Amino acid sequence: MRIAVLGTGSGGRAHAARLLQLGHRVVVGTRDSQVTLGRTEPDFMGIEPFGQWLADYPGIELMTFGEAAAEADLAINGIDGANAVRVLGGIADQLAGKTLMDYAVPFVYNPERAHPWPTPWGVMPALDPVDSDSLGERIQRALPDTKVVKACVTQEQETAVDPGSVGGGDHTIFIAGEHADAKAQVTALLRSYGWRDVLDLGPLVSSRGMEMYTHMHSAIQFALGGARFGIKVVR
Amino acid sequence: MRIAVLGTGSGGRAHAARLLQLGHRVVVGTRDSQVTLGRTEPDFMGIEPFGQWLADYPGIELMTFGEAAAEADLAINGIDGANAVRVLGGIADQLAGKTLMDYAVPFVYNPERAHPWPTPWGVMPALDPVDSDSLGERIQRALPDTKVVKACVTQEQETAVDPGSVGGGDHTIFIAGEHADAKAQVTALLRSYGWRDVLDLGPLVSSRGMEMYTHMHSAIQFALGGARFGIKVVR
């Protein structure tokens, strides 16, 4: 399949690398390829420049968001929550009729929200929207001709693309969306990643719970001292 | 131990029955015992009148919130989220110096928030507070001399008091709070319920994530068609 990963952060890289390994044609979208490739220093999180990373994955192509979306049969949103609706809305035509898997979380970094535990970002992020709306629903409203499937929100993307690396893969991944065919497509993709327990949480309103779970995820991460874990629905 | 369960709903009943079985002296607090015992019809959720339920548990005593709190070494808050801060604030003296385990969720039932899936309550509840504060933190602020431990938020209380009834007990329960001695006391109680994996999420700010998880819990419940499940942190 031709798959576009929109965004060049660590989550997008995890999907791109795994999809390449699985034999897909992978294109990565960014705002401006020259700017992205021109970076030579790690970002504020210490993540290596995209160009350096890309050198290890011959076959992955970098292009603009619109070009990448136009190329793809299926797209994955890896654009940060604060910018996703605006950027995706700008390439609505190129995404029309396609499935968009969205794992983004609408974090807002408020430096006044100090977290009592040390965190990678120093403060406890807020969510906007929260409770009465979700980023997944906002993206779907901005892209009415695209089939949005919320997925992979409850894991780090590094473990979402390789569930077998945690507890032998015996944990649960969740999906939600309004389009059964798109959910079947995303389920097949997740199974190819190694997921055995893909739980359909129904309509896209369930994005709220998935996004709101991220505070629990952070708390568990701080308690365990690392993010290599998953959650399993035991029933 | 002498344990007060504050509140007469199904969650409080689950704890009271289990604690009696475990050999504790159990008192249940309510606003007005005569009113509570005078009810003869099931409530809007179809839950049997408290007096009928109580008849099956000789040894459990019903008294006012304040009397129950005064009797107890440890208290469990089973008062609904909308009323918990006000009621508990009114019996702060009786709870001073004691551990209060709080599993309440600050649901607000807004009839305009129709849920696209059938739910027991017909609408999707909102949370208030959410994200920037939590009920657990509010209760702690209202009761500065009490040691609040948030726990059992991520399960139905029927399974929280009997984890072995789901998946052989191989799931995870979470606690958070500012007082190590109170967390040790609650951990011991949870172990006596049968919990083997009690995960300490640190300070009470983690109540936010625990309470915000309830939307995920509801979505999983609707997906599975029932609430007899737990979540396990796989690591």
Side-chain angles (χ1 to χ4, degrees):
Chain A
M1 211 177 352
R2 291 173 307 177
I3 301 181
V5 175
L6 306 173
T8 57
S10 56
R13 294 181 199 183
H15 283 278
R18 181 70 160 139
L19 292 165
L20 184 74
Q21 185 190 43
L22 291 170
H24 297 285
R25 167 156 156 63
V26 182
V27 293
V28 172
T30 190
R31 189 177 55 82
D32 182 322
S33 305
Q34 291 314 105
V35 170
T36 298
L37 293 175
R39 294 198 186 101
T40 55
E41 298 294 325
D43 74 2
F44 77 104
M45 294 281 281
I47 297 169
E48 71 173 333
F50 186 80
Q52 268 180 35
W53 175 86
L54 188 63
D56 292 334
Y57 298 94
I60 296 181
E61 278 183 80
L62 184 69
M63 47 185 78
T64 66
F65 287 125
E67 288 165 349
E71 280 287 315
D73 304 311
L74 179 148
I76 297 176
N77 176 40
I79 302 166
D80 67 284
N83 294 301
V85 172
R86 183 181 51 78
V87 172
L88 295 171
I91 57 169
D93 287 349
Q94 292 92 320
L95 289 169
K98 296 174 182 173
T99 295
L100 176 68
M101 185 177 95
D102 168 45
Y103 66 78
V105 178
F107 282 136
V108 178
Y109 293 89
N110 177 349
E112 291 178 11
R113 245 171 96 126
H115 194 287
W117 279 20
T119 79
W121 47 78
V123 297
M124 186 164 178
L127 293 172
D128 181 21
V130 68
D131 192 39
S132 59
D133 197 5
S134 66
L135 181 62
E137 291 165 279
R138 282 196 179 173
I139 291 173
Q140 182 65 86
R141 289 198 300 272
L143 303 170
D145 298 326
T146 298
K147 298 169 181 178
V148 175
V149 179
K150 196 86 193 185
C152 301
V153 188
T154 52
Q155 305 261 144
E156 299 297 317
Q157 300 314 305
E158 289 75 5
T159 62
V161 302
D162 187 15
S165 67
V166 174
D170 188 20
H171 40 140
T172 306
I173 198 89
F174 306 90
I175 63 170
E178 305 297 334
H179 303 276
D181 56 339
K183 286 202 280 194
Q185 206 176 6
V186 168
T187 299
L189 184 73
L190 294 172
R191 292 201 181 282
S192 77
Y193 283 168
W195 286 102
R196 300 191 296 268
D197 189 21
V198 180
L199 187 57
D200 184 354
L201 297 183
L204 205 52
V205 71
S206 291
S207 294
R208 297 177 196 179
M210 292 157 84
E211 294 172 10
M212 289 164 75
Y213 167 76
T214 52
H215 281 334
M216 265 289 279
H217 177 86
S218 296
I220 296 169
Q221 176 181 346
F222 304 150
L224 297 181
R228 295 201 65 81
F229 65 90
I231 53 167
K232 175 184 177 179
V233 176
V234 176
R235 66 273 206 191
Chain B
M1 212 180 344
R2 292 172 305 176
I3 301 181
V5 175
L6 306 173
T8 57
S10 55
R13 295 181 199 183
H15 284 278
R18 182 71 161 136
L19 292 165
L20 184 74
Q21 185 191 42
L22 290 170
H24 297 285
R25 164 153 157 66
V26 182
V27 293
V28 173
T30 190
R31 188 177 56 82
D32 182 323
S33 305
Q34 290 314 106
V35 170
T36 298
L37 293 174
R39 294 199 184 98
T40 56
E41 299 293 325
D43 74 1
F44 76 105
M45 296 281 281
I47 296 168
E48 71 173 333
F50 186 81
Q52 268 180 36
W53 174 86
L54 189 62
D56 292 335
Y57 297 96
I60 296 180
E61 277 183 82
L62 185 68
M63 45 186 80
T64 66
F65 288 125
E67 288 165 349
E71 280 288 315
D73 305 310
L74 179 148
I76 297 176
N77 176 40
I79 301 166
D80 67 286
N83 294 303
V85 171
R86 182 182 50 77
V87 173
L88 294 171
I91 56 171
D93 287 349
Q94 294 91 321
L95 289 169
K98 296 175 182 175
T99 295
L100 176 68
M101 184 177 95
D102 168 43
Y103 65 78
V105 177
F107 282 136
V108 178
Y109 293 88
N110 176 351
E112 292 178 10
R113 244 172 97 127
H115 194 287
W117 279 20
T119 78
W121 46 79
V123 298
M124 185 164 177
L127 293 172
D128 181 22
V130 68
D131 192 40
S132 60
D133 197 5
S134 66
L135 181 62
E137 291 164 280
R138 283 195 179 174
I139 291 173
Q140 182 65 87
R141 289 198 300 272
L143 303 170
D145 298 327
T146 298
K147 298 170 181 177
V148 175
V149 178
K150 197 86 193 184
C152 300
V153 189
T154 53
Q155 303 262 145
E156 300 297 318
Q157 301 314 305
E158 289 76 4
T159 63
V161 302
D162 187 15
S165 68
V166 174
D170 188 19
H171 41 141
T172 306
I173 199 88
F174 306 91
I175 63 170
E178 305 297 335
H179 303 276
D181 56 338
K183 287 202 280 195
Q185 205 176 7
V186 168
T187 299
L189 184 73
L190 294 172
R191 292 200 180 282
S192 77
Y193 282 169
W195 285 102
R196 299 191 295 269
D197 189 21
V198 180
L199 188 57
D200 183 354
L201 297 184
L204 205 52
V205 70
S206 291
S207 294
R208 298 178 196 180
M210 292 157 83
E211 294 173 10
M212 288 164 75
Y213 167 77
T214 52
H215 281 335
M216 265 291 279
H217 178 86
S218 296
I220 296 168
Q221 176 181 345
F222 304 151
L224 298 181
R228 293 200 67 80
F229 64 91
I231 54 167
K232 175 185 175 179
V233 176
V234 177
R235 68 271 206 190

